[in-house]
Amino acid sequence: FAETKELIAGVFGRAAPAYERAGPPLFGTVARRLVAMADLPRGARVLDVACGTGAATLEAARRSGPAGMVVGVDLAPPMVEEARRRGHEAGTGNAAALVMDAEALGFRDGVFDAVLCASALYLLPRPLEALGGFLRVLRPGGTLAVAVFGADLDERWSWRGELLARLAPPLEPLGRRFDQVSLEQALEEAGLRGVTVAVERLDVAYPDAAAWWVSDWSHGERAVLELMSEPALAAYRTAAFQAIQRCRERDGALHWRPEVVYALAVR
């Protein structure tokens, strides 16, 4: 799994400067929604796993207050540096960010009141083992909150998969895809209890095709783009800019409405 983890860290490290700053809100929206659903008490000790640039970390720090303590961890050093920079910009004094493998958490047992993992569980090579680690560092009665992208039910975006299948080299699937049922089962198998799952649709609105293109390079989707030859990438961009127009709605924006699965559980 070392090669897979190196790939993931490299892709997200290169995306870090533009992550959630290029294009409309996406992963940050999911992260903040997850923190709201976790209903963190004042003074909570919180771990944000695969924190990225710190959207959930900073929101958890705000909600837990000065008496709380929030630690974000991520495998990609540039992401951690960006999370620290954004935390400094936000004036957050009760949050920290560390470089750490989500599947090998270096914390004592039962030290956190809550563990968060937004938009990352499906990227981990061994997600079920990772959930066991999340459980280990939670105190008895502590809360685990997880968010994953579920089924892409917006058929207007089917062109993307069709174009990538034709123009991009084969890419080994990373981690494991989850839906509402399989996520609930995974949490229960890990030993968590009181699992509740909610499914929501996110509305991501791009003002135009150029905004979508810039956004696509700012997160994990760039993994497949980086593997394309220059002619294939140019052909993909041209075809995508034409196909994406079918996603335009009355407000003039290009809308994508992915399914997001949120799960809460208790140790």
Side-chain angles (χ1 to χ4, degrees), residues 13-252:
R14 291 186 290 277
Y19 193 80
E20 284 298 291
R21 282 184 167 162
L26 175 55
F27 300 101
T29 299
V30 174
R32 287 183 286 272
R33 173 65 175 144
L34 184 67
V35 174
M37 295 177 75
D39 194 22
L40 302 173
R42 304 293 284 181
R45 297 165 298 172
V46 183
L47 174 64
D48 180 18
V49 180
C51 66
T53 54
T57 304
L58 297 180
E59 181 64 13
R62 185 183 71 80
R63 288 176 177 263
S64 63
M69 182 272 293
V70 183
V71 180
V73 299
D74 201 278
L75 189 62
M79 279 289 192
V80 171
E81 287 300 317
E82 190 65 26
R84 290 171 178 168
R85 184 176 300 111
R86 296 186 190 189
H88 178 73
E89 291 173 357
T92 305
N94 62 331
L98 304 173
V99 176
M100 190 177 294
D101 188 339
E103 296 179 350
L105 299 175
F107 300 104
R108 300 192 310 274
D109 294 0
V111 71
F112 293 104
D113 300 305
V115 174
L116 314 172
C117 184
S119 308
L121 187 65
Y122 47 79
L123 290 173
L124 304 181
R126 296 174 293 190
L128 298 182
E129 287 82 353
L131 286 172
F134 301 173
L135 178 66
R136 179 185 64 79
V137 300
L138 266 177
R139 66 165 176 79
T143 299
L144 174 66
V146 177
V148 300
F149 284 94
D152 192 347
L153 303 176
D154 196 338
E155 295 182 356
R156 298 173 304 172
W157 288 78
S158 61
W159 56 265
R160 188 177 182 280
E162 295 163 2
L163 288 177
L164 291 176
R166 179 160 55 89
L167 297 170
L171 183 65
E172 288 293 325
L174 300 176
R176 168 184 168 182
R177 300 299 298 182
F178 290 95
D179 58 17
Q180 181 176 0
V181 173
S182 60
L183 182 59
E184 182 175 359
Q185 290 176 341
L187 295 179
E188 290 176 344
E189 289 174 12
L192 290 142
R193 55 190 177 84
V195 180
T196 59
V197 179
V199 180
E200 299 180 359
R201 296 290 292 273
L202 191 66
D203 183 8
V204 184
Y206 303 96
D208 51 37
W212 164 78
W213 182 250
V214 171
S215 177
D216 221 34
W217 280 95
S218 73
H219 49 75
E221 297 292 347
R222 69 180 290 147
V224 66
L225 303 180
E226 291 179 339
L227 293 176
M228 290 188 193
S229 65
E230 289 189 12
L233 186 62
Y236 174 69
R237 184 180 186 277
T238 298
F241 272 43
Q242 295 175 349
I244 201 173
Q245 298 308 318
R246 72 181 68 163
C247 305
R248 192 175 301 281
E249 297 185 9
R250 290 184 176 181
D251 62 357

